[in-house]
Amino acid sequence: MKVTPLDIRQKTFEKVLRGYDKDEVTAFLLSLSQEWERVQDETKEMRIKLEATEREVTKLREVESSLYKTLKTAEDTGANVIEQANKAAELHLKEVQLKAEALLNEAKTKAKDTIEQSEATSRQMVDEMEERLKTLVQNYKSIESERANLLGDLKRLAGETMDKVERLRNATSNFDPDQHLQLAKREAKQTLNPNAVNTIPPLPQHEKTENAEANNEEAAVPKHQKSFFDEIQ
């Protein structure tokens, strides 16, 4: 049975002999009703607070559920992002590896071509140097041959010159300028007047002999033998 403070205040009791003091009972009932009213007010207030708390708990549970869903979604999204990032990283790594291999192969090919080209150029340079060396050797041999010929010609020319000097020295030892002058005049007159009488005395016998020997020696030298200086004139 539900009892209110008003019920407590209005409660009446039957009168009996030697019963309780009416004033004390009334005062107690009044005090009890007031206390009961306070308890009801507190209960009502506590019920209101409980309802508010339950609403807050419901909201918190909803927030918790939303946060859980958000966290779950974030975890799933993070996992997907991580998976996609890993796949993208693997793909990028493969592309980088392929590019690196391509660059390495290209570098090897270029290095091989460069080495082959350098070797070919080196061989060509060596061949050219060998050919030039052969040409220089041939030119050197030709120069040596020309030098030997030149020395031979110089020796022969020196010998001939010494012989001529010796003959001239021998000829000038008995040379008479007056007689040679008379001989030149006589030859000039005979050339101008072949019928004129020869009045110039002839040369001495030893000069005729020396002149004849000199002419014979000059005639004895073969005309086809020419010196180096004759060839270059």
Side-chain angles (χ1 to χ4, degrees):
M1 182 177 87
K2 187 176 181 180
V3 179
T4 64
L6 183 60
D7 292 336
I8 294 173
R9 291 190 189 97
Q10 294 177 354
K11 180 65 178 175
T12 60
F13 297 94
E14 293 180 359
K15 296 179 180 180
V16 294
L17 184 65
R18 299 178 64 87
Y20 292 101
D21 187 0
K22 182 179 179 181
D23 294 333
E24 290 182 0
V25 171
T26 301
F28 177 75
L29 290 175
L30 179 61
S31 176
L32 181 61
S33 65
Q34 291 176 352
E35 185 65 23
W36 185 253
E37 185 177 4
R38 186 184 64 78
V39 170
Q40 284 185 341
D41 291 338
E42 289 180 357
T43 302
K44 184 178 180 181
E45 184 179 357
M46 291 298 293
R47 187 177 291 111
I48 293 172
K49 289 182 179 180
L50 179 60
E51 291 176 356
T53 303
E54 288 178 352
R55 287 194 297 271
E56 290 293 331
V57 170
T58 302
K59 290 181 180 180
L60 291 175
R61 286 178 179 176
E62 291 177 356
V63 171
E64 181 183 6
S65 178
S66 177
L67 290 175
Y68 177 77
K69 291 180 181 179
T70 303
L71 181 61
K72 183 65 176 176
T73 303
E75 288 179 354
D76 295 338
T77 304
N80 293 330
V81 170
I82 292 173
E83 185 178 0
Q84 292 178 0
N86 290 331
K87 290 181 179 179
E90 291 177 358
L91 181 61
H92 183 67
L93 181 60
K94 289 181 180 179
E95 291 179 354
V96 171
Q97 289 177 350
L98 292 175
K99 289 182 180 179
E101 291 178 357
L103 290 174
L104 182 60
N105 293 329
E106 184 179 359
K108 288 181 179 179
T109 303
K110 288 184 178 180
K112 183 179 179 181
D113 294 339
T114 303
I115 292 172
E116 291 178 354
Q117 185 177 3
S118 299
E119 290 178 352
T121 304
S122 299
R123 286 194 297 269
Q124 183 179 0
M125 292 178 65
V126 170
D127 294 338
E128 291 178 356
M129 292 299 294
E130 289 179 352
E131 189 66 26
R132 290 181 181 178
L133 183 60
K134 290 180 181 178
T135 303
L136 290 175
V137 170
Q138 292 177 357
N139 292 335
Y140 176 75
K141 290 181 179 180
S142 177
I143 292 172
E144 284 292 323
S145 178
E146 292 292 336
R147 177 176 173 273
N149 294 332
L150 179 61
L151 290 176
D153 292 338
L154 289 175
K155 288 180 180 179
R156 183 173 57 81
L157 181 61
E160 293 176 355
T161 303
M162 293 299 295
D163 292 339
K164 289 182 180 180
V165 170
E166 187 66 25
R167 287 196 302 271
L168 288 174
R169 183 181 297 170
N170 294 330
T172 55
S173 62
N174 298 320
F175 179 74
D176 189 355
D178 295 334
Q179 291 181 357
H180 280 276
L181 181 59
Q182 293 176 1
L183 178 61
K185 290 180 179 180
R186 183 183 62 185
E187 290 178 354
K189 287 182 179 181
Q190 288 180 355
T191 301
L192 295 175
N193 189 6
N195 297 322
V197 179
N198 186 7
T199 59
I200 300 174
L203 290 173
Q205 185 64 32
H206 66 276
E207 291 187 5
K208 291 182 179 180
T209 303
E210 291 176 356
N211 290 333
E213 291 178 355
N215 292 329
N216 291 331
E217 289 177 357
E218 291 179 357
V221 177
K223 294 183 179 180
H224 66 276
Q225 293 182 355
K226 295 182 179 180
S227 66
F228 175 77
F229 296 101
D230 295 332
E231 293 179 357
I232 63 175
Q233 286 179 353

